[in-house]
Amino acid sequence: MEALIQNIIEGLQNIVQNGNYIFSILTGMLTIMLESMIPMLPLALFIAINLLVFGNVIGFILSWIATIIGCSISFFLFRYIKKKWRKKPISNWMQKIGNIPFSSLVIFLSIPFTPAFSINIGAGLSNMRFTKYFFALLLSKLFLVYFWGFIGTTLVESMTDIGVLLKLGSMVILAFLLSKWITNQFDIQ
């Protein structure tokens, strides 16, 4: 498996070095966008590959933008489905999801092991405003992409390191504090 991943990384680096930037950027972004809609795909692996191929800064930015686009597409897809398909038992449950506080939404989306796909579905089917959802995505996905980029392919080793756990805890607290500030600044409920 490690050899396969190394071959993929080297192949993508060759594409970038040969000047096929647009193709390689679109490939890197498309894989992450698909992961936002197909939860079985490994987001950590795609982010790690982007960071290894494009470098820490560009790989981070591409991964962050792609996951926001993918989650937004998922949101609008289920918002469209909601218009076509309505049943009362789901409406009460969706009303609770739509009323989730902004800071809680940011926390749920920024925790690496939260099933973001189900949050995308719930937000799309609920009465949640897209602006609330979008601001939560912008903030939370910064921390999520940073986490998966930091962890990379050594997830098990990193999760046993107290330093990594402290950084992750600090990032979640920072996301919560920033979400409270954004709630006050932009009057998001």
Side-chain angles (χ1 to χ4, degrees), residues 10 12-13 22 31-32 36 66 76 87 98 103 110-111 114 130 147 187:
E10 288 173 4
L12 289 173
Q13 285 174 333
I22 294 176
T31 56
I32 291 179
S36 298
F76 284 118
K87 292 192 177 187
S103 56
S110 65
I111 296 174
T114 301
F130 179 70
F147 174 79
D187 194 31

Side-chain angles (χ1 to χ4, degrees), residues 95-149:
Q95 206 168 22
K96 291 177 184 176
I97 290 174
N99 294 331
I100 190 170
F102 178 74
S103 56
S104 297
L105 181 61
V106 170
I107 295 297
F108 289 140
L109 287 169
S110 65
I111 296 174
F113 301 103
T114 301
F117 180 71
S118 60
I119 295 172
N120 297 341
I121 293 171
L125 292 176
S126 75
N127 60 350
M128 183 181 296
R129 292 184 334 211
F130 179 70
T131 54
K132 175 181 177 179
Y133 178 73
F134 186 71
F135 278 119
L137 279 179
L138 288 176
L139 183 57
S140 63
K141 295 304 180 178
L142 279 172
F143 298 102
L144 185 79
V145 171
Y146 175 79
F147 174 79
W148 287 123

Side-chain angles (χ1 to χ4, degrees), residues 23-38 41 46 50 62 66-67 69-70 73:
F23 175 74
S24 56
I25 287 171
L26 289 176
T27 301
M29 289 183 73
L30 183 62
T31 56
I32 291 179
M33 289 168 52
L34 285 174
E35 189 282 331
S36 298
M37 295 177 267
I38 305 170
L41 298 175
F46 297 149
N50 277 348
L62 290 176
T67 192
I69 292 170
I73 290 170

